[in-house]
Amino acid sequence: MTELTTLASPLDVGGVRIRNRVFLAPMSGITDEPFRRRAHAHGAGLVVSEMVASGELARGRAGCDLRIRHSGLPVHMVQLAGREAVHMGEGARIAAGEGADIIDINMGCPAKKVTGGYAGSALMRDLDHALSLIEAVVGAVSVPVTVKMRLGWDESALNAPMLARRAEQAGVRMVTVHGRTRCQFYQGKADWRAIARVKEAVSIPVVANGDVGSPQEAATILEQSGADAVMIGRAHYGAPWIAGGVATAAAGTCTQGIPQAPEALADYVVSHYEDMLSLYGIESGLRQARKHLGWYLDRHAPRACAEQRKRILTSVEPGEVTAELHRVLADSSPSISLRSAA
């Protein structure tokens, strides 16, 4: 897997040095500060904030500050979404003012609540408008600006190469491409070879995204796309160490901090849960944490009974949740629960 070894090398993005080329994808409601800290500690080269609506950020809506605040990691990257140039520019200024080292523009989210507002991947249906947003962000900040996109809106409009080329001309310093169209959502298999057309269209770094969760898949997507880096998203559900595992496999080293025994796994999950309660407060934190707890159970304790899952996912008493997590995860089988990226 000679392609894989390239992922261990640093990457320059507009003067910002990224320690390796395996990135954690921005995922709404998932890649908050506790999750990003864990992914970075395990070895991910770059971690990206969950999507922040630029209009809400510009208007000062409560909660946006948690999404953009600096986490103390070496590189702070914030992703913005929106459809109004004035809000995108102002959102970028606010994020940069909070210490963002890189601003990413979301032109790839397929969710109906995003595309219905003519943001996310809907912007790929109107490249002139998309470019007006890019120009507003690039003009508003001095930090590097990047764009995340899909192959196009549908199979009849695979315009990612054109968008990437125009974005580069407007000053964008890196593009990430998910190998599906918007209309595919997450169905079927990502087309890694199609990303090669974007790589051929630009001279800036291209990041390949979609259906990667192992070193073998990372090597294959690099070979088929010719990309400079890999971004991993959904494979992290219940396993914040996946990107780090791929990066350390590329470097020939061991992934840092993966729990190696059931008791350690229980401590790890409880620590993540408690960090979320600390960040959001008990009431909101309970809601925010449930999806993560569900993924940990799905991945590491699939034999947990329905009553145990119910107690963990519905209890409003943190002490009850942590006690039940210890009971369930400490009894899990290592052959089932301990799945690293290697």
Side-chain angles (χ1 to χ4, degrees):
M1 294 192 297
T2 56
E3 293 85 0
L4 184 67
T5 61
T6 66
L7 294 176
S9 62
L11 179 67
D12 182 273
V13 179
V16 177
R17 185 180 185 274
I18 311 302
R19 63 179 179 174
N20 66 55
R21 300 175 183 227
V22 188
F23 305 160
L24 169 69
M27 293 180 281
S28 183
I30 300 170
T31 55
D32 56 13
E33 184 176 323
F35 200 97
R36 297 197 307 274
R37 282 186 173 278
R38 281 165 174 77
H40 179 269
H42 294 306
L46 182 66
V47 298
V48 190
S49 79
E50 54 187 318
M51 179 180 66
V52 183
S54 60
E56 295 179 357
L57 179 59
R59 289 190 292 269
R61 181 172 176 176
C64 288
D65 57 329
L66 292 181
R67 295 189 175 198
I68 68 167
R69 78 175 187 180
H70 203 297
S71 57
L73 299 178
V75 178
H76 182 45
M77 186 170 179
V78 172
Q79 186 186 71
L80 296 178
R83 63 177 181 177
E84 301 292 341
V86 63
H87 290 156
M88 290 293 287
E90 180 60 21
R93 280 189 288 269
I94 294 170
E98 291 294 322
D101 299 293
I102 303 174
I103 304 292
D104 186 60
I105 302 174
N106 184 318
M107 294 190 176
C109 180
K112 290 182 180 179
K113 67 179 181 180
V114 176
T115 59
Y118 303 102
S121 56
L123 293 167
M124 300 193 74
R125 305 182 78 177
D126 185 347
L127 296 194
D128 288 340
H129 182 59
L131 263 291
S132 74
L133 304 185
I134 291 171
E135 291 166 352
V137 174
V138 171
V141 296
S142 59
V143 301
V145 176
T146 64
V147 175
K148 189 172 190 291
M149 64 185 72
R150 288 199 162 214
L151 296 176
W153 178 259
D154 58 28
E155 290 293 329
S156 69
L158 301 177
N159 56 1
M162 183 180 299
L163 174 57
R165 186 183 306 113
R166 294 184 65 180
E168 179 181 21
Q169 293 168 351
V172 162
R173 310 304 291 270
M174 182 176 75
V175 295
T176 299
V177 186
H178 182 109
R180 289 184 175 87
T181 66
R182 183 273 174 184
C183 289
Q184 286 180 274
F185 287 86
Y186 294 100
Q187 297 176 348
K189 182 72 171 66
D191 187 348
W192 295 342
R193 295 186 187 279
I195 299 172
R197 293 193 286 272
V198 178
K199 177 61 181 173
E200 293 165 359
V202 298
S203 60
I204 55 178
V206 172
V207 185
N209 174 229
D211 295 343
V212 177
S214 71
Q216 294 77 16
E217 289 164 342
T220 303
I221 198 174
L222 286 182
E223 187 274 327
Q224 293 185 4
S225 69
D228 303 279
V230 173
M231 181 172 279
I232 304 174
R234 293 171 296 147
H236 286 96
Y237 291 179
W241 50 79
I242 293 296
V246 173
T248 53
T253 59
C254 295
T255 310
Q256 306 166 32
I258 292 181
Q260 296 297 322
E263 295 82 3
L265 175 65
D267 290 339
Y268 182 98
V269 175
V270 167
S271 175
H272 189 176
Y273 175 67
E274 291 175 340
D275 282 353
M276 293 190 72
L277 298 185
S278 177
L279 177 67
Y280 296 109
I282 298 297
E283 182 177 355
S284 178
L286 287 169
R287 295 193 304 271
Q288 297 282 352
R290 282 171 182 155
K291 55 181 171 288
H292 292 280
L293 298 183
W295 291 326
Y296 281 124
L297 293 173
D298 290 342
R299 186 182 286 259
H300 306 292
R303 292 196 294 267
C305 70
E307 185 58 34
Q308 289 174 313
R309 287 184 64 95
K310 181 179 179 180
R311 283 196 294 269
I312 290 170
L313 300 180
T314 64
S315 175
V316 295
E317 295 295 334
E320 181 180 358
V321 174
T322 58
E324 195 64 38
L325 284 170
H326 275 291
R327 280 192 290 270
V328 171
L329 294 172
D331 289 338
S332 61
S333 168
S335 63
I336 294 174
S337 67
L338 299 180
R339 293 179 57 194
S340 74

